[in-house]
Coordinates of all heavy atoms in Angstrom, one line a residue:
Chain B
Q398 N 117.3 152.7 139.7 CA 117.2 153.7 138.6 C 118.1 153.4 137.5 O 118.0 154.0 136.4 CB 117.5 155.0 139.2 CG 118.9 155.5 139.1 CD 119.9 154.6 139.9 OE1 119.5 153.7 140.6 NE2 121.2 154.9 139.9
F399 N 119.0 152.4 137.6 CA 120.1 152.3 136.7 C 119.7 152.0 135.2 O 120.4 152.3 134.3 CB 121.1 151.2 137.2 CG 120.4 149.9 137.6 CD1 120.1 149.0 136.7 CD2 120.1 149.8 139.0 CE1 119.4 147.8 137.1 CE2 119.4 148.6 139.4 CZ 119.1 147.6 138.5
W400 N 118.5 151.4 135.1 CA 118.1 151.1 133.7 C 117.5 152.3 133.0 O 117.4 152.3 131.7 CB 117.0 150.0 133.7 CG 115.7 150.5 134.5 CD1 115.6 150.3 135.9 CD2 114.6 151.1 134.0 NE1 114.3 150.8 136.2 CE2 113.7 151.3 135.1 CE3 114.2 151.5 132.7 CZ2 112.5 152.0 135.0 CZ3 112.9 152.2 132.6 CH2 112.1 152.4 133.7
I401 N 117.2 153.4 133.7 CA 116.5 154.5 133.1 C 117.3 155.2 132.0 O 116.8 155.4 130.9 CB 116.0 155.5 134.2 CG1 114.8 154.8 134.8 CG2 115.6 156.8 133.6 CD1 114.0 155.7 135.7
P402 N 118.5 155.7 132.3 CA 119.2 156.5 131.3 C 119.4 155.8 130.0 O 119.1 156.3 128.9 CB 120.6 156.8 132.0 CG 120.3 156.7 133.4 CD 119.3 155.6 133.6
T403 N 119.8 154.5 130.0 CA 120.0 153.8 128.8 C 118.7 153.5 128.1 O 118.6 153.7 126.8 CB 120.8 152.4 129.0 OG1 120.2 151.8 130.1 CG2 122.2 152.7 129.2
A404 N 117.7 153.1 128.8 CA 116.4 152.8 128.2 C 115.8 154.0 127.6 O 115.3 154.0 126.5 CB 115.5 152.1 129.2
Y405 N 115.9 155.1 128.3 CA 115.3 156.4 127.8 C 116.0 156.9 126.6 O 115.4 157.6 125.8 CB 115.2 157.4 128.9 CG 114.1 157.3 129.9 CD1 113.4 156.0 130.1 CD2 113.6 158.3 130.7 CE1 112.4 155.9 130.9 CE2 112.6 158.2 131.6 CZ 112.0 156.9 131.7 OH 110.9 156.8 132.5
R406 N 117.3 156.7 126.6 CA 118.1 157.1 125.4 C 117.7 156.3 124.2 O 117.7 156.8 123.1 CB 119.6 157.0 125.7 CG 120.3 158.4 125.6 CD 121.8 158.2 125.5 NE 122.3 157.2 126.4 CZ 122.9 157.5 127.6 NH1 123.0 158.7 128.0 NH2 123.3 156.5 128.3
A407 N 117.5 155.0 124.4 CA 117.3 154.1 123.3 C 115.9 154.2 122.7 O 115.8 154.1 121.5 CB 117.5 152.6 123.8
A408 N 114.9 154.4 123.5 CA 113.5 154.5 122.9 C 113.3 155.7 122.1 O 114.0 156.7 122.3 CB 112.5 154.4 124.1
P409 N 112.3 155.7 121.1 CA 112.0 156.9 120.4 C 111.6 158.0 121.4 O 110.9 157.7 122.4 CB 110.9 156.5 119.5 CG 111.0 155.0 119.4 CD 111.6 154.5 120.7
P410 N 111.9 159.3 121.1 CA 111.6 160.3 122.1 C 110.1 160.4 122.5 O 109.8 160.6 123.7 CB 112.1 161.6 121.4 CG 113.0 161.2 120.4 CD 112.6 159.8 120.0
Q411 N 109.2 160.2 121.5 CA 107.8 160.4 121.9 C 107.4 159.3 122.8 O 106.4 159.4 123.6 CB 106.9 160.5 120.6 CG 106.9 159.3 119.7 CD 108.1 159.3 118.7 OE1 109.1 160.1 118.9 NE2 108.1 158.5 117.7
I412 N 108.0 158.1 122.7 CA 107.7 157.0 123.6 C 108.3 157.3 125.0 O 107.7 157.0 126.0 CB 108.2 155.7 123.0 CG1 107.5 155.3 121.8 CG2 108.1 154.6 124.1 CD1 106.0 155.1 122.0
T413 N 109.5 157.9 125.0 CA 110.2 158.2 126.2 C 109.3 159.2 127.0 O 109.1 159.1 128.2 CB 111.5 158.9 126.0 OG1 112.2 158.1 125.1 CG2 112.3 159.0 127.3
A414 N 108.6 160.1 126.3 CA 107.7 161.0 126.9 C 106.6 160.2 127.6 O 106.2 160.5 128.8 CB 107.0 161.9 125.9
L415 N 106.1 159.1 127.0 CA 105.1 158.3 127.5 C 105.6 157.5 128.7 O 105.0 157.2 129.7 CB 104.5 157.4 126.4 CG 103.1 156.9 126.6 CD1 102.2 158.1 126.6 CD2 102.7 156.0 125.4
L416 N 106.9 157.0 128.6 CA 107.5 156.2 129.6 C 107.6 157.0 130.9 O 107.3 156.5 132.0 CB 108.8 155.6 129.2 CG 108.9 154.6 128.1 CD1 110.3 154.2 127.8 CD2 108.1 153.3 128.5
A417 N 108.1 158.3 130.7 CA 108.3 159.1 131.9 C 106.9 159.6 132.4 O 106.7 159.8 133.6 CB 109.2 160.3 131.5

Side-chain angles (χ1 to χ4, degrees):
Chain B
Q398 91 296 358
F399 45 86
W400 59 273
I401 285 191
T403 42
Y405 279 22
R406 239 196 320 259
Q411 63 276 15
I412 294 300
T413 312
L415 208 59
L416 290 180

